Amino acid sequence: MADVHERGVYSRRRLLKAAVTGVGVFSTAALLEACGAGSSSSNGTKPSNGSADAGADTGKGIEVLRVSLPGSLSNLYPGQESGILNYYVTGICMEGLVGVDAAGKIVPALASAFEQTSPTTFVYTLRPDARFHDGTPVTADDVLHSIEMAKDVKVSPSTASYWANLKKAEKTGDAEITLTAKTADVSFAWLPSNADALWIAPKALWDRAKTGIGTPQALPVGTGPYKVTSFVPDSYVEFERAGTWRGPEPKPAKIRFEFVPDENTRLLAWKAGKADMALNVPLAQSGQWESASDTRVVYAPDRSYAGLTFNVRAKPFDDVHVRKAIAHAVNREAVVAKILRGHGQVATAMSTPEQFGGLWTPQEAAAKLGGIPQYAYDLEQAKRELAQSSVPQGFSASLSYPNTGPHLGTAALAFAADLKKIGITLDVKELPIEQWLAELNDFPPLSYMWYFNTTGDPGELAAWFLGDGNPAQYTNKNIAATMAKADGEADPAARAQLLIDAQTTQAADLAYLPLWWGQAAVAFGSAVGIKDYSSYTLMADWPSQVYAAQ
């Protein structure tokens, strides 16, 4: 993992989460169908948005819950290795001061209570009964030291930049921590959560591990319901119930995560009955998983954003007519219907509908975000825009995508087929994930963005894309003023509207073209269910929701 030194560097963790999402390779037939397809077309695959429930809860315990993961993990600490699966796995072991619930709201975790006492001051009261897995009580000193480690670029290269707005963290009582931000920022409230940038461990472990926490030699020690008992990088990790957990005892006594990078191998193992849950089932194989016996495949939004980024300082993308020509030549509806097989949604903004929890439902948020001006698929309009541009005869450009997101490549080839019709030649390249990230750090003229939001903050991505050091090298004084006002706005509804206003203004300039909001698929065996499954379930204390079904 490359160091993260500032907010705008592309090695930031939410991009790296794309490395383990398990999206499979799509067929040439799907590609050909997508090219030039009508916006409402379908490939005949019906979305199977089944329930994660699985019949009546027997009330029985589960001896071992076997969970199949795509890709592999070489480090369990998200501050070091930051794929989305690291969050799902480590979240059952290590907590922050706060966490996230199934609706995407901030909830108490190691802090029994928290309060924002001023626009820049947040006060947390530690639980008196909190214990680490080694039996030692959680102290304010442990929390403060964990924050220092989260800020340290060598110890936590994937999280250090997120603490840039922290002015100070201090002990203000025997069981009280106060965090003070440099400037007012509503999103700061998410910072000390294990869904964002804080995983609390004993100071003694940090001292012993140095920069090696999360390895087999320095296994994570936290306060969650499960403790790590065995970890073989790139093979498996095992947990068992921690006797120190303050909450109700979860049903699985043990959880074993198997890392299976090859999707065909994973599917065969599933059919052979070697797993009870399979996370991030590839959409390309979803039909095969759905047809497997005693299997339910459940789809839920994963709060991911895919879009095109135009470097507005690089020719010919400094010309808004070029950007609009491309926007009108991209058939986003067909990509969602054909390539994503209906398991996604055309993105109208940077914020995703699920990030407005407690304010609007995803449906209400999608309707409001849908009011942002869009660019309909229209090749004739695309030709007219190009004719008004600085390159009316067309031009050549390249677009790379990471090998961990083959569906991005399939979509890019579909884009290329349509762009060719208006005189633009697009060279599509697959790159290893780290090479792709390195290329993005150089601000290429045209690039993909694949970003996984983890919080319920609707400004999570917009704050980066519309702020200093953004990947489009885009500036707009009106947007800067709107975003500054949003940062200091305490009323959630007013802040949300300001974020939408800023994205509405951006749409006219078209530095970014949102493509789709994604979904993730999880397979469940018939003997296992999860209650109240939602977009945020796997970011929360999900094993407590697991039950043995009849």
Side-chain angles (χ1 to χ4, degrees):
M1 301 293 177
D3 284 355
V4 179
H5 297 289
E6 58 185 78
R7 189 172 182 85
V9 174
Y10 278 102
S11 54
R12 61 206 312 272
R13 60 179 171 82
R14 308 216 203 286
L15 289 175
L16 292 178
K17 287 181 183 181
V20 286
T21 57
V23 182
V25 178
F26 289 83
S27 67
T28 301
L31 166 63
L32 294 176
E33 286 182 274
C35 294
S39 63
S40 61
S41 60
S42 170
N43 66 354
T45 301
K46 295 181 180 179
S48 178
N49 298 306
S51 172
D53 296 339
D57 183 349
T58 65
K60 297 178 180 179
I62 298 172
E63 184 177 350
V64 181
L65 180 69
R66 302 164 301 166
V67 183
S68 173
L69 303 184
S72 60
L73 306 183
S74 60
N75 189 298
L76 298 179
Y77 174 52
Q80 281 281 340
E81 181 177 299
S82 48
I84 189 66
L85 298 181
N86 297 76
Y87 278 70
Y88 295 164
V89 171
T90 305
I92 70 175
C93 171
M94 301 181 78
E95 296 182 281
L97 287 169
V98 293
V100 60
D101 70 4
K105 298 180 189 176
I106 298 174
V107 294
L110 266 182
S112 59
F114 55 93
E115 181 183 8
Q116 184 175 0
T117 59
S118 82
T120 58
T121 308
F122 298 77
V123 180
Y124 303 85
T125 302
L126 298 181
R127 295 181 183 276
D129 58 344
R131 295 290 185 276
F132 287 113
H133 297 151
D134 60 8
T136 59
V138 178
T139 69
D141 288 338
D142 292 312
V143 175
L144 291 175
H145 193 73
S146 294
I147 291 173
E148 286 302 311
M149 295 299 96
K151 291 167 51 184
D152 190 314
V153 72
K154 293 182 179 179
V155 178
S156 306
S158 295
T159 60
S161 66
Y162 282 75
W163 293 88
N165 194 32
L166 177 67
K167 181 178 180 180
K168 61 181 176 179
E170 57 187 333
K171 179 179 176 180
T172 49
D174 290 341
E176 184 178 275
I177 297 290
T178 298
L179 302 184
T180 305
K182 296 174 184 176
T183 60
D185 181 0
V186 172
S187 64
F188 189 88
W190 285 95
L191 192 61
S193 74
N194 66 352
D196 199 23
L198 181 61
W199 299 267
I200 297 169
K203 182 178 183 299
L205 174 63
W206 294 110
D207 291 341
R208 183 174 68 253
K210 305 300 182 185
T211 60
I213 190 170
T215 65
Q217 294 73 36
L219 294 173
V221 175
T223 56
Y226 288 87
K227 62 181 179 181
V228 186
T229 56
S230 180
F231 174 40
V232 177
D234 303 323
S235 181
Y236 71 89
V237 59
E238 290 183 340
F239 294 80
E240 67 179 33
R241 281 193 297 243
T244 53
W245 178 238
R246 61 186 178 273
E249 186 176 84
K251 295 297 175 60
K254 296 181 179 180
I255 300 178
R256 179 183 173 96
F257 296 92
E258 294 272 1
F259 310 142
V260 190
D262 183 80
E263 287 296 352
N264 291 325
T265 300
R266 195 158 75 113
L267 178 58
L268 290 173
W270 178 266
K271 290 182 175 180
K274 295 183 178 180
D276 306 300
M277 285 177 61
L279 304 188
N280 292 9
V281 167
L283 297 181
Q285 289 184 335
S286 59
Q288 297 177 64
W289 284 80
E290 288 172 4
S291 65
S293 61
D294 298 321
T295 300
R296 301 180 325 286
V297 178
V298 180
Y299 300 88
D302 58 10
R303 305 168 311 284
S304 65
Y305 163 96
L308 294 179
T309 298
F310 303 104
N311 184 337
V312 297
R313 298 183 186 177
K315 293 184 179 300
F317 302 102
D318 58 341
D319 186 331
V320 69
H321 293 293
V322 168
R323 304 196 294 270
K324 289 182 177 180
I326 292 176
H328 282 299
V330 170
N331 194 339
R332 299 180 295 168
E333 290 83 358
V335 169
V336 170
K338 300 293 185 177
I339 297 177
L340 302 186
R341 305 188 178 215
H343 298 304
Q345 188 175 355
V346 172
T348 59
M350 302 163 192
S351 304
T352 70
E354 290 72 32
Q355 290 180 276
F356 295 84
L359 178 61
W360 302 320
T361 66
Q363 294 75 23
E364 290 170 338
K368 291 179 181 293
L369 294 170
I372 295 174
Q374 301 297 307
Y375 294 85
Y377 174 63
D378 185 336
L379 291 180
E380 292 306 313
Q381 181 61 34
K383 292 176 182 177
R384 287 192 288 271
E385 290 289 351
L386 192 64
Q388 298 177 65
S389 76
S390 58
V391 283
Q393 302 306 312
F395 61 95
S396 297
S398 64
L399 179 65
S400 65
Y401 68 95
N403 62 340
T404 52
H407 64 308
L408 298 175
T410 307
L413 291 173
F415 303 158
D418 272 333
L419 287 171
K420 187 176 182 179
K421 298 173 184 176
I422 68 170
I424 299 175
T425 300
L426 188 65
D427 178 26
V428 177
K429 303 181 297 181
E430 178 186 87
L431 297 176
I433 177 69
E434 294 295 344
Q435 186 178 343
W436 178 68
L437 291 170
E439 180 182 272
L440 293 182
N441 278 330
D442 293 329
F443 298 98
L446 177 66
S447 60
Y448 251 131
M449 178 56 65
W450 192 22
Y451 183 95
F452 288 76
N453 294 280
T454 57
T455 74
D457 175 19
E460 182 178 325
L461 181 56
W464 177 30
F465 271 22
L466 301 178
D468 294 338
N470 66 73
Q473 301 196 69
Y474 168 64
T475 58
N476 181 300
K477 291 182 179 179
N478 291 333
I479 289 178
T482 302
M483 294 299 290
K485 188 175 180 180
D487 285 343
E489 178 56 67
D491 178 68
R495 178 174 180 264
Q497 187 57 57
L498 287 167
L499 291 170
I500 292 175
D501 291 346
Q503 294 177 72
T504 298
T505 302
Q506 187 284 139
D509 291 341
L510 196 61
Y512 305 99
L513 175 65
L515 295 173
W516 66 82
W517 297 313
Q519 288 186 0
V522 179
F524 295 91
S526 59
V528 173
I530 293 188
K531 299 176 182 178
D532 303 322
Y533 189 78
S534 76
S535 174
Y536 285 93
T537 293
L538 295 175
M539 295 300 301
D541 175 22
W542 60 268
S544 67
Q545 302 300 105
V546 173
Y547 65 92
Q550 287 182 335

